[in-house]
Amino acid sequence: MTSEKMRGYLLGAIAAASYGLNPLFALPLYEAGSVLFYRYLLAVVMMGALMLVRRQSFALARRDILPLVVLGLLFSFSSLLLFQSYKYMDAGIASTILFLYPVVVAVIMTVGFHEKASLATVLSILLSSVGILLLCRSADGTTLNPVGIALVLLSSLCYAVYIVGVNRSSLRTMSA
């Protein structure tokens, strides 16, 4: 295995672990009513500093402004809806259900862009869906709050549309 590939796996694992800790740090800020403000403020500062260090331009092409606004709103709605779902269900379960977004991306790409779904993709979609259905009922037979489920599913949909939008718009060639 190449060192670049190993580096990619390591960075992917760190990113996944960091994202998994999201509810742990987000819940106290959410209680204060300011989680998204601080999250995005920190992201803007970090991205701006990274762009300055790499000497990247802040200029935008006119054709990129509308997609950036729309996709930025989708990304923000995804976060907002996820954090709203925490009011109605356990943050760990909500965050797990959020990870249906790859399934939604696969469905959007198959239905909307006529990409061929492999047997492995179809089986993965079915297994993921069954797993989520199993999460929706607790051991004692009670079900999760339908409002919480709806909010986190909408969050997952927003994020999936965001991912497809980034990869299917003029932004796909823009530096990350």
Side-chain angles (χ1 to χ4, degrees):
M1 192 175 303
T2 66
S3 64
E4 265 310 294
K5 197 171 196 177
M6 191 55 135
R7 181 174 177 248
Y9 285 135
L10 179 63
L11 291 173
I14 291 169
S18 298
Y19 193 79
L21 294 174
N22 192 13
L24 180 67
F25 296 107
L27 289 174
L29 286 173
Y30 184 69
E31 293 297 321
S34 55
V35 68
L36 291 180
F37 173 79
Y38 289 115
R39 181 180 186 179
Y40 290 127
L41 177 64
L42 182 62
V44 165
V45 170
M46 290 172 62
M47 289 296 296
L50 184 63
M51 288 177 70
L52 287 172
V53 167
R54 291 183 174 178
R55 300 191 192 292
Q56 291 180 324
S57 172
F58 287 83
L60 292 174
R62 182 167 275 172
R63 67 182 164 86
D64 293 337
I65 294 173
L66 182 60
L68 276 172
V69 169
V70 170
L71 293 174
L73 287 171
L74 280 169
F75 191 83
S76 297
F77 284 138
S78 175
S79 297
L80 179 64
L81 291 165
L82 176 64
F83 292 134
Q84 288 294 317
S85 75
Y86 292 168
K87 289 181 180 177
Y88 300 96
M89 62 196 315
D90 181 71
I93 292 175
S95 296
T96 301
I97 294 172
L98 174 71
F99 280 94
L100 264 180
Y101 78 84
V103 170
V104 180
V105 168
V107 170
I108 291 170
M109 295 308 293
T110 301
V111 173
F113 295 95
H114 308 293
E115 276 195 13
K116 188 166 171 80
S118 68
L119 179 59
T121 300
V122 172
L123 287 175
S124 296
I125 289 171
L126 290 174
L127 286 172
S128 298
S129 300
V130 168
I132 296 302
L133 288 173
L134 291 173
L135 275 176
C136 291
R137 187 174 297 275
S138 67
D140 64 1
T142 59
T143 57
L144 295 177
N145 186 305
V147 174
I149 293 171
L151 288 168
V152 76
L153 289 176
L154 282 171
S155 172
S156 185
L157 176 64
C158 286
Y159 193 59
V161 172
Y162 163 80
I163 289 173
V164 171
V166 166
N167 290 301
R168 292 293 174 158
S169 71
S170 63
L171 302 181
R172 72 181 168 276
T173 58
M174 183 182 281
S175 170

